[in-house]
Amino acid sequence: MHICMDWRSTKFDWNQARAFLVTAEEGSLSAAARSLDVAQPTLGRQVRSLEEALGVALFERVGRGLVLTPSGAALVEHVRAMGDAATQFSLTALGRSQAPEGKVTISATEVAAAFVLPEILVSLRKAHPGITLEIVASNSLSDLRRREADIAIRSVRPSDPELFARKLSSQRARLYAAHAYLDGIGEPADEHELAKAQFIGFRDNAPFEEGLRAWGVPVTAASFPVLCADHSVQWEMVKRGLGIGVMDETVGDAEPLVRPAAPWLAPFPVDVWLVAHREISTSKRVRIVFDHLAKALRKATAT
């Protein structure tokens, strides 16, 4: 038996509920506003309007952040379920869309976005001018379930069963430095000499340090006097002689300002995966972009 809901009892709209959920997850209005790409005063008004509609206080201020009140904590899981349902609704609708026009969001590592994708996107735009492309350049994994991207280019295979992935190639990365830098310190002859050089690392540098030590290079935190989260900015620093950095061979070998800092050191393996959510695999425009990327990336990253 179908039971009709009394929609008159619903005292808020989804925008207000979403504002509440994202603020609870981010811990502040400013962070939530950035996540939703809205003005902070607008987000604040949405949260206050929801509190007024429900007749409860959802947050209390602690320092510079916000924490849920007992009422807010009791309600947030219900809103989170609404958010999951809204995301699934959007994914399913996009998956059934057969329009070859519209926006497709591609998430890629900073290196791929800066050095590999531009040429590929030129040919894609010529072939399909009705498709609008948004590129998210980040080394963090975009959440495809939450529609942070439609397609992702990753170096790791996804474990989520709701995602499907195609391995395109296995790339190699090496250590590079500017000619002037290597001429100044002398060519490192072995791992211990290499460890005495200056490296440019990442903000979260533990994986890079551990990878070098696994390759027999006894680096320490002191080996990394410069840290930068943006890999493309790191590369510019390497080219200008600030220290040794890591880069894909396809990019590093093509750059005349640098050369391998340790050509005798085994390269670092890097896989290239193309990933999308299963629900949107039937979307015509997403399928077009996915197939184009798969073909072009396989050719561009072929070893």
Side-chain angles (χ1 to χ4, degrees):
M1 181 178 66
H2 177 68
I3 300 176
C4 295
M5 292 183 61
D6 182 3
W7 292 104
R8 294 170 298 179
S9 65
T10 303
K11 301 298 183 183
F12 60 89
D13 64 31
W14 167 239
N15 286 330
Q16 295 172 358
R18 184 179 63 164
F20 164 49
L21 174 61
V22 177
T23 302
E25 292 179 338
E26 296 291 342
S28 72
L29 287 172
S30 58
R34 288 192 299 271
S35 179
L36 291 173
D37 195 23
V38 299
Q40 183 174 332
T42 300
L43 191 74
R45 286 194 296 271
Q46 290 175 336
V47 173
R48 288 192 297 273
S49 295
L50 180 60
E51 290 179 322
E52 292 170 2
L54 298 177
V56 297
L58 299 172
F59 296 102
E60 58 183 354
R61 184 168 294 280
V62 176
R64 295 185 177 181
L66 297 174
V67 297
L68 291 167
T69 63
S71 296
L75 293 170
V76 71
E77 290 305 320
H78 296 291
V79 179
R80 184 168 286 115
M82 293 169 58
D84 292 341
T87 299
Q88 192 62 37
F89 172 84
S90 180
L91 285 168
T92 302
L94 179 59
R96 293 179 180 277
S97 171
Q98 294 304 305
E101 298 83 21
K103 186 175 78 171
V104 176
T105 302
I106 304 168
S107 170
T109 64
E110 292 156 359
V111 169
F115 299 105
V116 180
L117 272 183
E119 185 175 351
I120 294 174
L121 298 185
V122 169
S123 61
L124 175 59
R125 289 283 302 134
K126 287 181 178 178
H128 304 282
I131 296 178
T132 302
L133 301 169
E134 178 180 355
I135 309 304
V136 179
S138 174
N139 290 335
S140 300
L141 297 182
S142 296
D143 190 339
L144 300 187
R145 274 179 175 261
R146 300 187 65 173
R147 294 296 309 283
E148 292 179 353
D150 300 315
I151 300 170
I153 302 169
R154 296 179 176 177
S155 59
V156 294
R157 183 176 187 172
S159 57
D160 189 337
E162 292 302 313
L163 305 180
F164 72 93
R166 184 181 300 174
K167 184 178 178 180
L168 303 180
S169 64
S170 292
Q171 288 293 94
R172 304 193 305 180
R174 287 190 179 274
L175 299 174
Y176 292 89
H179 299 295
Y181 180 79
L182 290 174
D183 292 343
I185 67 170
E187 296 282 351
D190 56 30
E191 291 83 353
H192 290 277
E193 286 190 10
L194 181 60
K196 296 176 183 177
Q198 293 185 342
F199 291 80
I200 300 173
F202 298 85
R203 185 169 57 187
D204 178 14
N205 204 44
F208 190 21
E209 291 184 37
E210 292 167 2
L212 285 170
R213 286 194 286 268
W215 255 249
V217 185
V219 294
T220 66
S223 305
F224 299 86
V226 178
L227 302 175
C228 179
D230 190 315
H231 201 172
S232 58
V233 173
Q234 277 190 29
W235 186 235
E236 292 302 315
M237 295 176 179
V238 170
K239 288 159 59 177
R240 283 158 178 75
L242 198 58
I244 296 173
V246 65
M247 180 53 69
D248 293 348
E249 280 186 332
T250 52
V251 177
D253 289 351
E255 175 52 60
L257 296 177
V258 306
R259 66 177 184 261
W264 39 263
L265 188 68
F268 305 93
V270 181
D271 291 337
V272 180
W273 291 86
L274 196 59
V275 187
H277 194 283
R278 291 187 183 278
E279 283 285 0
I280 61 176
S281 63
T282 55
S283 165
K284 187 171 183 178
R285 65 177 181 272
V286 174
R287 189 81 238 181
I288 287 172
V289 175
F290 188 96
D291 290 343
H292 187 98
L293 288 175
K295 182 178 179 180
L297 283 169
R298 186 177 287 112
K299 180 179 179 181
T301 60
T303 56

